[in-house]
Amino acid sequence: MKVPFLELRPTYEELRAEMDAAYRRVMESGFYLFGGELDAFEREYAAYCGAKHCIGVGNGLDALHLILRALEIGPGDEVIVPSQTFIATWLAVSYAGATPVPVEVDPRTANLAPERLEAAVGPRTRAILPVHLYGQPADMDAIRAVAQKHGLKVIEDNAQASGARYKGRRTGALGDAAGHSFYPGKNLGAFSDAGAVTTHDDALAERVRALRNYGSRRKYVHDLKGFNSRMDELQAAFLRAKLRRLDEWNERRRRIAARYLEALRGVPGLILPHVPDWAEPVWHLFVVRHPERDRLQQKLAEAGVGTLIHYPVPPHLSGAYADGGWKRGAFPIAESLADTVLSLPMGPHLTEAQVEAVIGAVWQASESLAAAIA
Ligand SMILES: *Cc1c(COP(=O)(O)O)cnc(C)c1O
């Protein structure tokens, strides 16, 4: 049996009637940017997250960047970021002209380790940018305690965690603002690029609203040097229909994760994801670790199981940050994760038979690797 890492087409097939109706509604409305669909999506997604405001933007990177701009964080300022994440987290900071300051993650969760934050805070630090990586919330109370002590903003990178909960509360409403991505492969995925900012802060929301549209509050009056980062009506209409399924689809991911966690316990060499008791992850990715990761991936591919590596190169060692002058060894936890992580197939449309095939293939591949070492 072939198990692809992720298939997006089944999401369209399940929602065909709603998607086709959304397409017609928008095309016939005559409004393709800034119409009723975006307004409605913003209201619905804000309510879903438990945030006061939602502002739709072009993508997740822009969401984070516009938050930083709205907070006037820029050249000369430092923003604390996790040592391992998708590079967009760091790029948003660089894009704003500020400097990303990496702090090592907790090796068990790959999320910011709050106890390491204080050592990285200096006179130029303005904000902490935790990522809810793989769909699992970071330890927000501990992070906010450090932020409060030093007068820092907390900006959540919620790109991978739409619907997750931390101590019962939804991510996206746990800091000063949050950036969301609706890239097609994310848990709440559009059919193109799209993103959003959520916040409780009226002034911040108002500034992001202006910044996404050329810094304009009134048509052709430009108070700020803004950008063009808009979510179009079609994507907003598609996302409204998908938002109504998000909890159900996240629940399917949870059931698959529970099955993996139960059936893969004891696989030689394999380290399973760790879930702190206050976390309700939404399993954007199911990430295991293995000392012979590349050979495991190869064997799984031979068995027809598609896997990916999130992420093979930590930002500090990537060419994009060569100017930081970091050498291998600078962030050993991030580097060790990059060398050992492997993402198994995960998604709401994975069948039970496919899940069992993955489990069988992981056992077989790991046992043959263990036998080869012994
Ligand atoms: C996807 C992602 C982003 C960026 O979102 P885009 O919509 O692709 O711009 C930012 N941070 C993380 C952790 C992501 O996974």
Side-chain angles (χ1 to χ4, degrees), residues 180-246:
H180 306 256
S181 168
F182 309 122
Y183 174 81
K186 299 287 161 80
N187 285 37
L188 178 60
F191 292 82
S192 180
D193 277 312
V197 171
T198 51
T199 181
H200 298 304
D201 182 332
D202 298 340
L204 180 60
E206 196 274 334
R207 282 179 71 84
V208 171
R209 225 170 254 293
L211 286 171
R212 74 166 172 188
N213 187 33
Y214 295 111
S216 167
R217 291 166 168 128
R218 268 190 306 138
K219 213 169 174 61
Y220 305 126
V221 181
H222 302 273
D223 304 321
L224 302 166
K225 288 200 185 76
F227 303 85
N228 175 358
S229 183
R230 305 184 278 226
M231 184 196 295
D232 68 70
E233 285 289 288
L234 263 181
Q235 300 313 320
F238 293 147
L239 284 169
R240 291 181 68 199
K242 290 187 83 178
L243 181 57
R244 291 195 272 278
R245 300 295 176 97
L246 181 58

Side-chain angles (χ1 to χ4, degrees), residues 107-159:
R108 293 166 307 168
T109 60
N111 276 332
L112 265 185
E115 68 277 7
R116 295 173 190 268
L117 286 171
E118 212 138 17
V121 176
R124 293 167 179 273
T125 313
R126 296 281 314 278
I128 306 174
L129 212 175
V131 181
H132 306 308
L133 200 68
Y134 309 148
Q136 167 148 288
D139 189 356
M140 292 300 291
D141 283 349
I143 292 168
R144 276 170 56 163
V146 176
Q148 237 150 35
K149 186 170 163 196
H150 296 277
L152 310 176
K153 299 288 183 186
V154 176
I155 303 162
E156 299 172 80
D157 181 339
N158 199 46

Side-chain angles (χ1 to χ4, degrees), residues 79-109:
V79 176
I80 293 175
V81 294
S83 58
Q84 178 64 319
T85 175
F86 180 56
I87 197 166
T89 314
W90 287 41
L91 287 175
V93 177
S94 302
Y95 207 4
T99 304
V101 173
V103 165
E104 280 277 53
V105 294
D106 182 325
R108 293 166 307 168
T109 60

